[in-house]
Amino acid sequence: MKKNIAVVATSAAIGSEKGLNRMYYLAELLEKNGYQVDFITSDFQHWSKSYRNAKKIKSYGSKCNIVLLHETGYKKNIDPRRICSHFIFAGNVGKYLEAHKYNLVYCDMPDNHVAAVCAKYAKKHKIPFIVDVEDLWPKAMYMAFDVPVLSRIFFSYFSRDAKTAYKLCNGVVGSSDTYRDDALNYGIDIKRKATVYVGNDLALFDEGVKKYEGVIKKEAGEYWVTYAGTLGTSYDIKTMIQAASILKKNDIDDIKIILLGDGPLRGELEKMAEQTGGNIRFLGYQPFEKMAAYLSKSDIVVNSVKKNAPQSIVSKIGDYLASGHPMINTCMDIEFWKKVKADGFGINVRPENAIKLAEAILYLKNRPEKCKEMGKIARKIAVEQFNRPKAFMRIVDMIDRLVER
């Protein structure tokens, strides 16, 4: 008889939806490996800020059973209404879990309150619980809302719920070592743990490159420096715009800054780019396959993160590496900073310094052989460490051990 697993994800992309699909991918993988899976997520799509069409979701032909539970919705990522909305979703998750029987619950965090609800359910019914740490709340919140005393009070329940989830879990998976070991910050040492990068499916990445390589036009002599991801408070896009201006003022016209993605700061950033006059192209959100093709046609990829951001090994790293191009990294997370240096697929540059970023771009541009070698290393690491079909089997193995199949 198949073991029943609940995979719970507050904000997850399903099928061709916009956003991150780590948890949905895992749910499908578990079905392929002999489990019966309920993929429990919200009826509100976080990235589009709109409600899902249940018929469209059904048309994707998912292997797992997709369960859409209600929340009230919100208009911005940092919004009191988001907290209330997730709180309602957490309550509906608790009710749904109580009405069903599972052999294990696997939940991502954030949302911390949803994770705490799942942890309490698992404890009550004496089944294993695994928490998948993909971001650190409330640390990430302080980038957008840091008011002395008020922020600490406002975000205090995030810390409380994280501690509950860690205290009651039987295993933890992190999308980096930093995230995997976050429980130690709460005085909890979890013995069963694994680092599984967000990664990507390299076969799908390569299919996208092949599909769109003839569609995406790159003028002869253009040199593309590309960022892919959210245009939000944690990401150092303003410095990229300033660097583009510096290069332009120095009569370097062949270098183009390509920005793939969308987010709350897009309007402000577009206005800044217009005022500074650099060679910048805002291409907005692109489907995964097309994004893959843009990255493949680029010359340099940029992991552009602000100085005090809590991000570690973010979701786009696997895509950057898969492109086979050198990376400029401004993320100061110690784990990733060391990895860039030790593995040799790029160079580290301190964030929020446009002059240094412009210099780094020129340094790589003037060393094509070095870039070629860095690109080969990047692709090799993508294959060995970030390819989901292989890497995610570590999660399946942890689940196998906990449910004693």
Side-chain angles (χ1 to χ4, degrees):
M1 185 180 239
K2 288 185 176 181
K3 300 284 188 177
N4 296 330
I5 294 178
V7 175
V8 183
T10 305
S11 305
I14 300 171
S16 61
E17 286 183 336
K18 178 180 179 180
L20 303 179
N21 68 351
R22 172 183 174 93
M23 294 292 282
Y24 177 67
Y25 184 94
L26 175 63
E28 293 279 89
L29 183 64
L30 289 168
E31 275 282 349
K32 290 178 185 177
N33 281 272
Y35 288 101
Q36 186 169 309
V37 181
D38 280 353
F39 182 65
I40 302 170
T41 189
S42 172
D43 62 352
F44 182 78
Q45 220 280 355
H46 167 71
W47 288 275
S48 66
K49 303 294 187 291
S50 62
Y51 283 98
R52 286 179 158 120
N53 184 317
K55 288 184 179 179
K56 186 176 181 181
I57 293 295
K58 192 173 183 179
S59 72
Y60 291 138
S62 300
K63 294 179 177 62
C64 59
N65 176 42
I66 297 176
V67 179
L68 301 179
L69 299 180
H70 184 62
E71 65 173 299
T72 53
Y74 45 91
K75 294 182 178 180
K76 297 185 295 182
N77 287 356
I78 306 298
D79 187 341
R81 284 173 291 188
R82 182 180 182 183
I83 296 172
C84 294
S85 185
H86 287 348
F87 193 84
I88 290 169
F89 174 70
N92 288 330
V93 168
K95 291 174 185 176
Y96 188 87
L97 291 175
E98 286 294 348
H100 296 79
K101 186 176 181 181
Y102 296 102
N103 299 105
L104 180 142
V105 176
Y106 190 101
C107 180
D108 64 357
M109 190 168 71
D111 180 272
N112 300 16
H113 189 57
V114 175
V117 166
C118 291
K120 291 173 183 175
Y121 165 84
K123 181 185 178 184
K124 177 181 176 181
H125 294 276
K126 298 179 181 178
I127 61 170
F129 169 65
I130 299 175
V131 61
D132 188 305
V133 187
E134 298 178 16
D135 202 355
L136 303 182
W137 286 9
K139 289 181 182 178
M141 299 291 193
Y142 287 110
M143 288 295 298
F145 185 73
D146 190 4
V147 179
V149 182
L150 180 61
S151 293
R152 190 170 66 251
I153 295 171
F154 193 59
F155 295 138
S156 61
Y157 92 91
F158 287 115
S159 298
R160 180 201 68 200
D161 286 336
K163 187 172 183 178
T164 297
Y166 289 138
K167 188 176 181 181
L168 299 179
C169 78
N170 301 91
V172 62
V173 175
S175 55
S176 71
D177 291 350
T178 304
Y179 289 1
R180 179 200 66 192
D181 294 334
D182 182 53
L184 294 173
N185 295 321
Y186 296 88
I188 302 166
D189 187 8
I190 300 167
K191 303 303 180 186
R192 186 180 280 106
K193 53 190 177 182
T195 297
V196 180
Y197 301 132
V198 173
N200 57 17
D201 189 321
L202 274 178
L204 293 178
F205 185 95
D206 293 341
E207 284 176 17
V209 173
K210 186 177 180 180
K211 181 179 179 180
Y212 287 102
E213 62 184 351
V215 177
I216 296 171
K217 304 300 180 183
K218 183 180 183 183
E219 297 298 327
E222 282 189 348
Y223 194 87
W224 286 4
V225 179
T226 303
Y227 166 87
T230 304
L231 305 183
T233 54
S234 293
Y235 301 98
D236 196 17
I237 314 304
K238 288 183 179 180
T239 299
M240 293 187 70
I241 293 172
Q242 291 164 351
S245 177
I246 291 170
L247 293 168
K248 182 74 171 178
K249 287 175 182 176
N250 282 277
D251 298 321
I252 301 168
D253 294 319
D254 57 338
I255 296 176
K256 312 290 183 184
I257 302 294
I258 309 294
L259 300 176
L260 298 168
D262 212 336
L265 298 185
R266 181 172 176 176
E268 178 184 337
L269 294 170
E270 286 180 327
K271 186 176 181 180
M272 178 183 177
E274 186 178 343
Q275 291 172 342
T276 54
N279 291 327
I280 300 169
R281 292 176 64 189
F282 287 83
L283 299 181
Y285 173 81
Q286 299 292 326
F288 177 78
E289 291 177 313
K290 202 167 186 180
M291 178 210 68
Y294 271 110
L295 290 177
S296 181
K297 284 216 168 189
S298 300
D299 297 281
I300 297 171
V301 292
V302 185
N303 181 40
S304 190
V305 181
K306 283 189 176 179
K307 180 169 55 180
N308 296 321
Q311 274 73 7
S312 183
I313 301 179
V314 297
S315 59
K316 284 294 179 283
I317 296 300
D319 303 325
Y320 288 153
L321 294 170
S323 74
H325 296 300
M327 181 191 301
I328 294 176
N329 170 59
T330 74
C331 177
M332 294 192 70
D333 171 70
I334 294 173
E335 177 185 352
F336 193 61
W337 189 276
K338 288 181 177 178
K339 186 172 182 62
V340 172
K341 185 175 181 180
D343 292 352
F345 54 78
I347 58 175
N348 292 310
V349 176
R350 291 191 175 275
E352 301 175 44
N353 188 324
I355 294 174
K356 291 295 182 183
L357 179 58
E359 289 174 350
I361 292 169
L362 290 174
Y363 172 85
L364 290 175
K365 183 176 184 289
N366 293 329
R367 290 164 176 79
E369 288 303 315
K370 189 176 184 69
C371 286
K372 188 175 180 180
E373 182 59 29
M374 286 180 170
K376 286 181 180 178
I377 295 170
R379 179 68 188 195
K380 184 172 184 289
I381 291 172
V383 171
E384 294 176 352
Q385 300 176 27
F386 286 79
N387 191 21
R388 284 181 175 178
K390 177 183 177 182
F392 275 42
M393 287 306 296
R394 296 189 66 196
I395 303 176
V396 177
D397 181 64
M398 182 185 289
I399 290 171
D400 284 346
R401 292 172 185 272
L402 283 169
V403 299
E404 298 179 350
R405 274 207 306 181

